[in-house]
Amino acid sequence: MDLGSLLIFAGALFVAAGSPGPSIAALVARVLTGGIRSVLPFLAAMWVGEAIWLSLAVFGLAFIAQTFQLAFTIIKWAGVAYLAWLAGKMWTAPVKAEGDALPRADAPWRMFATGLAVTLGNPKIMMFYLALLPTIIDLGRVSLVGWAELTATMVIVLMAIDIGWAVAASQARRFLRSPSAMRIANRLSATAMAGAAAAIASR
């Protein structure tokens, strides 16, 4: 693919993915309560999920997404339910005064499953790849190499955005030392997680 097309794609993706939404809210909430390392499986799942949507669009498989709409709806509501459960867990998390203790992160496979469910079940992401992307790039002329270039560009853009948010949240987490600060962080994270679940559920 020519550089101009890749730059247009990167710019559109940066605007779409960079704006705060359910995925970013869930990411920041988990970093605040579990640290940046705890969200690495979540980040990986988000990128895998977006790669799946990109592949569906590039290879003309949008009809699969429509045909199996029920499956994606189930994935969506599974993600919503788990985010809501996490919100409740964060809200009631015990506050410890010893050392730097903060609520522990969930198992990596749970974080990966959550990230994948949030991404695959997010209508905003689906609309970007299946509806907006074809207006930006002539997908009918994208070869296998072109798909690889688009995927690499996508990963670079998403890494810049998501890691940026995660680092910012991690820096904020450094100030969480007192029980009152930890309680506030837990409640804010729970609110953000619940908001993410509500945002996905309402679309």
Side-chain angles (χ1 to χ4, degrees):
M1 294 188 61
D2 62 274
L3 180 60
S5 296
L6 290 176
L7 290 177
I8 292 174
F9 168 67
L13 179 60
F14 185 86
V15 172
S19 58
S23 298
I24 297 298
L27 171 64
V28 170
R30 291 306 300 167
V31 173
L32 285 176
T33 55
I36 196 168
R37 290 184 179 180
S38 71
V39 298
L40 294 181
F42 186 88
L43 284 172
M46 287 172 61
W47 302 336
V48 168
E50 297 227 15
I52 291 174
W53 281 122
L54 174 62
S55 299
L56 287 174
V58 169
F59 295 116
L61 301 179
F63 72 93
I64 290 182
Q66 297 173 356
T67 303
F68 295 95
Q69 185 175 5
L70 177 61
F72 285 107
T73 299
I74 293 174
I75 291 174
K76 167 186 172 179
W77 286 106
V80 167
Y82 190 66
L83 288 178
W85 179 80
L86 284 178
K89 183 179 178 182
M90 290 178 185
W91 188 273
T92 58
V95 177
K96 300 179 181 179
E98 306 89 26
D100 298 335
L102 281 170
R104 290 182 297 178
D106 288 337
W109 70 268
R110 286 185 180 177
M111 292 301 297
F112 186 89
T114 302
L116 197 59
V118 167
T119 305
L120 292 179
N122 191 339
K124 173 187 173 183
I125 297 175
M126 177 182 69
M127 291 302 294
F128 174 80
Y129 288 105
L130 300 185
L132 181 60
L133 184 60
T135 67
I136 300 174
I137 295 175
D138 183 3
L139 297 178
R141 302 179 61 183
V142 176
S143 64
L144 188 60
V145 174
W147 166 79
E149 292 172 341
L150 284 172
T151 302
T153 302
M154 177 208 74
V155 171
I156 292 172
V157 171
L158 293 179
M159 285 181 67
I161 294 171
D162 296 337
I163 292 178
W165 279 104
V167 169
S170 179
Q171 292 300 315
R173 186 176 184 268
R174 293 177 181 273
F175 297 100
L176 305 179
R177 293 295 181 267
S178 68
S180 60
M182 291 165 60
R183 182 176 294 106
I184 291 173
N186 289 346
R187 298 294 168 83
L188 289 176
S189 297
T191 301
M193 196 70 77
I200 295 176
S202 64
R203 296 178 178 179

